[in-house]
Amino acid sequence: MASTTALPKRSAFQRSVTQDSAVSSMTNSTAVSPMDSPRESPSSTSVSSLSSVDESLTKDQAGVLLDTYGNEFKIPDYTIKQIREAIPAHCFERSALTGYYYVLRDLACISGTFLIFHNFVTPEYIPSTPVRAVLWALYTVMQGLFGTGIWVIAHECGHQAFSESKTINDATGWVLHSALLVPYFSWKISHGKHHKATGNMDRDMVFLPKTREVYATRIGKAIHEIHELTEETPIATAIHSLLQQLFGWWMYLFTNVTGHNNHHKQTEGKGVGKKNGYFGGVNHFNPSSPLYERKDEKLILLSDLGCIITLGVLYVCTQKFGWTNVLVWYWIPYMWVNHWLVAITYLQHTDPTLPHYDGHTWTFARGAAATIDREFGFIGRQLLHGIIETHVLHHYISTIPFYKADEATEAIKPVMGQHYRSDVRDGPIGFLRALWTSARWCQWVEPSEGAKGEGKGVLFYRNRNGLGTKPVAMADPSKKTKTTMHIGAESDNE
């Protein structure tokens, strides 16, 4: 493997980089992502053609940027146009017929599993109650994975990657997501904003990390004390991770947790006085939420209607079959779906190698590279439709259907070069282990100590556990000692 500037020092993490990978020109692109029109980068210099003198000048302009593992980071300088041109034309083709094949396949798995368990995991065939309990527990896990597959296809519909027809996409997505109690249009709109501002500390909508200031506020410490904190206990990390996996999706829908809190900047004025949190007026079910424009309000109500219909069907089923049966048949698998959604999204955007950017340094091309591909084996590639394995490509061009994403991913690797990130070691075990690794290593973001100029707007994860690059040591302002630490964009992301 070619060496890279951001390759983690621990062998557990790998990055797929071709030997001829090269970072290309920063010239502003006229062909951009279908989801966004990024602003021009502050720099137009081609790194691939720089002399050693030019490289030194570029380094001096940004300073020394270190990720959490201590590896030096270079700011990406290729364009969306170069990404698009590297992908074979047929990868952009979408087929409703192919999409519906996968929908029917997943629904067959769900219904077939239900019929098998309902008819054969019974006292007549399996007299042992403990054995039946274990099998029904396995049922909830399996149905949770199949349900997550359906969720992913509805996600494809939201990105218009399911078919060439917007009507087919939205009708299919609304039905599938409503069945999983997801407000389809509400989520589609906010998720689109996430894609337009990935890694932007001012505007990102999903797993936006805490800044140093916010983290200090949350634990009741002064900002200059952060680097002196003792290790957070593993039990505290475990509890936080458990709560995130159990309730993270609901908290996101109802309180916009992990999304930006700059709602006062909403152009129509709907965000004035509104904040993330309980009863703050920011959620995915309220048409007046600042997450949406006024033109979207009817779609939000339609999304709510879809969820209400599903709840009505569940109520009727509960009345007819009993709440324990519906609990096992639907609600526990539903919790598994939520768990996988949160885990997948968290690990797509949280890793010790990933940067975030303040509003002045961010560009679409830079932000889209602030994601990572992982590996979940057969389950990830077949049941979950590759959403774990091809997420980097998805952030550059979200209209490419999942069944063509592997080929497109390979095509963009030479363009991205050292900036393509993947953590594929140990497959599903490695994926699950990364939940713990990221929770311990990634607690807040701040600029590198050696950053200057534009580099001060590039923020990396730091932690209080003594892992990796240490937080910047800041002087106590009460002692009137000047500090030049630049923390980046202010944000309160919960």
Side-chain angles (χ1 to χ4, degrees):
M1 181 187 303
S3 60
T4 66
T5 59
L7 185 65
K9 295 180 178 178
R10 302 195 320 169
S11 60
F13 287 77
Q14 300 175 348
R15 179 164 316 141
S16 301
V17 182
T18 58
Q19 290 291 340
D20 59 349
S21 294
V23 185
S24 330
S25 172
M26 196 61 178
T27 305
N28 191 35
S29 170
T30 57
V32 298
S33 166
M35 294 295 294
D36 189 44
S37 178
R39 70 176 177 84
E40 186 174 5
S41 167
S43 170
S44 60
T45 306
S46 172
V47 171
S48 59
S49 64
L50 288 175
S51 66
S52 59
V53 175
D54 291 333
E55 288 176 352
S56 176
L57 179 61
T58 301
K59 183 174 180 179
D60 287 343
Q61 290 173 342
V64 178
L65 310 180
L66 299 180
D67 69 16
T68 318
Y69 286 126
N71 301 294
E72 189 169 350
F73 176 80
K74 304 293 185 182
I75 300 175
D77 73 336
Y78 49 82
T79 68
I80 303 301
K81 183 173 185 286
Q82 291 169 318
I83 291 287
R84 291 182 65 88
E85 290 176 345
I87 300 172
H90 67 86
C91 289
F92 295 88
E93 297 172 357
R94 300 160 288 177
S95 168
L97 185 63
T98 302
Y100 280 124
Y101 158 74
Y102 284 104
V103 171
L104 292 175
R105 189 200 73 173
D106 289 355
L107 291 177
C109 289
I110 291 173
S111 58
T113 300
F114 174 79
L115 290 173
I116 291 172
F117 276 77
H118 181 65
N119 290 319
F120 298 105
V121 183
T122 63
E124 291 79 11
Y125 289 94
I126 304 176
S128 172
T129 299
V131 172
R132 290 201 310 276
V134 170
L135 289 174
W136 277 106
L138 176 62
Y139 165 90
T140 66
V141 175
M142 294 173 62
Q143 296 291 61
L145 290 171
F146 297 143
T148 304
I150 289 292
W151 204 106
V152 172
I153 292 179
H155 162 263
E156 292 269 299
C157 293
H159 283 293
Q160 307 302 305
F162 184 81
S163 79
E164 300 287 343
S165 167
K166 184 176 186 298
T167 300
I168 290 176
N169 289 332
D170 286 341
T172 304
W174 181 79
V175 171
L176 296 180
H177 260 170
S178 296
L180 294 168
L181 292 178
V182 178
Y184 171 74
F185 292 102
S186 308
W187 168 86
K188 170 187 172 181
I189 294 167
S190 68
H191 187 68
K193 292 182 178 180
H194 158 60
H195 270 256
K196 292 178 181 179
T198 305
N200 187 317
M201 292 297 294
D202 291 337
R203 299 191 292 118
D204 200 354
M205 299 290 295
V206 174
F207 280 110
L208 186 67
K210 299 177 181 68
T211 61
R212 181 169 178 148
E213 298 100 322
V214 171
Y215 184 82
T217 300
R218 296 299 168 83
I219 61 175
K221 299 291 183 179
I223 187 172
H224 66 276
E225 297 175 329
I226 293 296
H227 67 282
E228 301 172 347
L229 295 177
T230 56
E231 180 179 4
E232 182 179 66
T233 63
I235 189 64
T237 302
I239 291 173
H240 178 271
S241 297
L242 179 63
L243 293 176
Q244 172 181 283
Q245 295 310 120
L246 285 175
F247 305 111
W249 173 245
W250 291 339
M251 292 291 289
Y252 170 69
L253 290 179
F254 284 100
T255 70
N256 198 44
V257 66
T258 78
H260 77 76
N261 212 2
N262 296 319
H263 306 296
H264 60 282
K265 296 181 180 180
Q266 209 266 9
T267 55
E268 295 178 326
K270 293 174 65 175
V272 176
K274 296 181 179 179
K275 292 289 184 181
N276 296 343
Y278 297 108
F279 312 112
V282 184
N283 65 66
H284 284 72
F285 300 97
N286 185 355
S288 65
S289 171
L291 298 176
Y292 313 112
E293 310 299 327
R294 290 188 176 88
K295 63 181 176 62
D296 301 322
E297 292 181 355
K298 291 182 179 179
L299 294 176
I300 309 310
L301 293 174
L302 182 57
S303 301
D304 295 346
L305 177 62
C307 294
I308 291 171
I309 292 173
T310 298
L311 289 173
V313 171
L314 290 170
Y315 174 78
V316 172
C317 290
T318 301
Q319 295 298 106
K320 184 174 182 178
F321 302 107
W323 71 270
T324 54
N325 280 331
V326 176
L327 175 68
V328 175
W329 294 345
Y330 182 90
W331 287 111
I332 297 179
Y334 168 78
M335 292 288 290
W336 276 112
V337 171
N338 291 353
H339 154 72
W340 289 119
L341 294 178
V342 173
I344 291 167
T345 308
Y346 175 67
L347 291 182
Q348 286 168 340
H349 300 283
T350 309
D351 186 81
T353 67
L354 296 181
H356 282 74
Y357 300 90
D358 68 16
H360 301 289
T361 308
W362 179 90
T363 67
F364 181 86
R366 294 172 179 179
T371 57
I372 185 169
D373 288 341
R374 301 185 188 271
E375 177 65 46
F376 209 68
F378 173 84
I379 291 175
R381 293 187 175 275
Q382 299 301 321
L383 302 187
L384 307 185
H385 307 300
I387 194 172
I388 295 171
E389 291 79 9
T390 60
H391 194 68
V392 175
L393 176 276
H394 175 68
H395 263 276
Y396 277 111
I397 305 176
S398 57
T399 55
I400 291 179
F402 68 86
Y403 44 85
K404 296 181 178 179
D406 278 316
E407 181 180 358
T409 293
E410 292 303 315
I412 69 172
K413 285 180 182 179
V415 178
M416 294 186 68
Q418 64 191 28
H419 296 291
Y420 173 76
R421 290 171 174 75
S422 66
D423 171 11
V424 299
R425 183 181 176 185
D426 298 332
I429 299 301
F431 177 89
L432 296 174
R433 185 175 58 235
L435 285 170
W436 180 257
T437 300
S438 292
R440 296 288 285 171
W441 284 70
C442 306
Q443 296 184 331
W444 73 87
V445 293
E446 63 181 50
S448 300
E449 186 169 16
K452 54 185 177 180
E454 187 179 38
K456 293 181 179 180
V458 184
L459 316 181
F460 281 99
Y461 287 105
R462 302 292 185 252
N463 61 80
R464 60 185 289 184
N465 296 316
L467 301 171
T469 304
K470 297 185 179 302
V472 174
M474 298 180 64
D476 184 348
S478 65
K479 297 180 180 179
K480 298 182 180 180
T481 302
K482 182 179 180 181
T483 176
T484 58
M485 176 64 181
H486 174 91
I487 299 298
E490 294 183 0
S491 172
D492 186 353
N493 55 5
E494 291 186 22

